[in-house]
Amino acid sequence: MRVVIAGSSGLIGTSLVASMRAAGHEVLRLVRRKAAAPDERGWDPYAGRIDEGTFEGVDAVVNLCGAGIGDKRWDDARKQVLHDSRVVPAEVLSAAVVEHGVPTLVNSSGAHFYGDTGSRLADEDAPGGHTFMSRLTQDWEAATSVAQEGGVRVVLMRTAVVISPSGGVFGRLKPVFQFFLGGKLGTGEQFFPWVSLDDVVSAYRFVVENEEISGPVNVAGPTPVTNAEFTKAVGTALHRPTPWVVPAFALKTLLGGEMAEELLLSGPGLTPKVLESRGFHFMHPALPSALNAAVA
């Protein structure tokens, strides 16, 4: 297949490009500068500009664009960046695949679509939440409406926190635990949705290659855990005790109430019903396996 990937330089994108090529697919990378390599195509989503010929003979477009949710404290300006960096590229690519007759658009999304699910687990049929992150994710998915209405197969990848050997959330947590400072957040009873980088990359390739899959797809490990269980598992993987409790008020003081509440003190419990029903095989179906692979 010939596949265009936007956001190819990030944590998921870098590994996905390598995986797609290893599987024999041709990959073109959209870059926000002048193309400087044979596999690059330039674009500026905010200007609505994409290099001519980018979509010739293309079978699928994968959109991974979006500023980091936890990179900076949320204020009104940062919230706008988080929104625009997701919605604008999705709208531009949605229109482009219709215009150029590309049959498939795989658009990144997030587990926070569902908001805080309490003690409930959410499959892809569960309703959306009402938090900032929930509304952001719902807007992100709605930005693909032109493609959906234009007959394009659209897949919406509601991805959990990615466990990776470097970078991402685990990359930030690892030194904290190594210095014996690891502990559960608040009560620790909130769900902590997770998935290994290996399985995220495999899931993206799986949905690109399987034409019968469309709509929302939960990309999460099939064994949900709470924050307390996650904390204990990280400590075990790193051979460190985890006796501490980080109180909610401390997190809210450090990050701001809304950011701390939505990202750390609450969370959705996900079940990957669509992937499992289609025969997807998880390389790391349990959290200890994912953590051990990341540590190794």
Side-chain angles (χ1 to χ4, degrees):
M1 300 176 71
R2 194 176 207 207
V3 181
V4 169
I5 299 180
S8 62
S9 62
L11 178 66
I12 297 174
T14 302
S15 295
L16 180 59
V17 169
S19 176
M20 295 292 286
R21 287 175 173 165
H25 302 303
E26 179 187 359
V27 177
L28 300 175
R29 298 179 295 123
L30 283 182
V31 296
R32 297 189 189 186
R33 50 175 170 75
K34 186 177 180 180
D39 69 333
E40 293 182 348
R41 300 293 185 271
W43 78 315
D44 180 351
Y46 295 98
R49 181 189 63 78
I50 306 176
D51 282 356
E52 187 175 351
T54 294
F55 300 103
E56 290 181 3
V58 168
D59 299 291
V61 171
V62 177
N63 175 29
L64 299 168
C65 295
I69 291 295
D71 292 355
K72 296 181 180 180
R73 192 180 175 111
W74 293 353
D75 56 17
D76 289 343
R78 183 60 182 173
K79 285 183 175 182
Q80 195 64 50
V81 169
L82 295 176
H83 182 274
D84 293 350
S85 66
R86 286 163 171 73
V87 171
V88 173
E91 288 177 339
V92 171
L93 292 173
S94 182
V97 294
V98 172
E99 179 183 354
H100 297 281
V102 178
T104 296
L105 172 64
V106 178
N107 199 74
S108 184
S109 183
H112 286 282
F113 175 93
Y114 305 101
D116 180 20
T117 63
S119 60
R120 296 177 294 103
L121 293 175
D123 63 23
E124 290 84 355
D125 296 324
H130 303 286
T131 63
F132 164 70
M133 281 297 302
S134 299
R135 294 191 301 271
L136 171 62
T137 308
Q138 291 161 32
D139 288 349
W140 197 1
E141 295 187 359
T144 67
S145 60
V146 170
Q148 295 180 53
E149 294 164 3
V152 174
R153 178 175 73 98
V154 176
V155 187
L156 304 167
M157 304 291 273
R158 295 173 180 169
T159 305
V161 175
V162 179
I163 306 298
S164 164
S166 61
V169 170
F170 184 68
R172 297 175 186 175
L173 288 177
K174 188 175 179 180
V176 174
F177 279 76
Q178 287 175 325
F179 281 102
F180 298 89
L181 297 174
K184 68 179 182 180
L185 307 179
T187 66
E189 296 175 357
Q190 67 274 27
F191 276 116
F192 187 92
W194 67 275
V195 65
S196 74
L197 179 61
D198 290 330
D199 286 325
V200 171
V201 170
S202 294
Y204 268 89
R205 207 178 83 198
F206 185 78
V207 301
V208 167
E209 296 171 344
N210 286 267
E211 297 180 358
E212 71 277 9
I213 299 175
S214 64
V217 173
N218 287 348
V219 187
T223 53
V225 299
T226 63
N227 173 262
E229 292 168 335
F230 177 81
T231 299
K232 183 178 180 180
V234 173
T236 299
L238 295 175
H239 307 289
R240 295 292 190 273
T242 56
W244 312 112
V245 176
V246 184
F249 78 84
L251 293 169
K252 292 179 180 181
T253 300
L254 178 65
L255 301 175
E258 185 179 29
M259 184 175 181
E261 186 65 39
E262 293 195 28
L263 297 187
L264 301 177
L265 297 172
S266 64
L270 301 191
T271 57
K273 184 179 75 171
V274 170
L275 287 176
E276 290 187 313
S277 69
R278 296 295 184 177
F280 179 78
H281 173 72
F282 282 90
M283 186 179 298
H284 304 290
L287 179 60
S289 172
L291 291 172
N292 289 336
V295 170

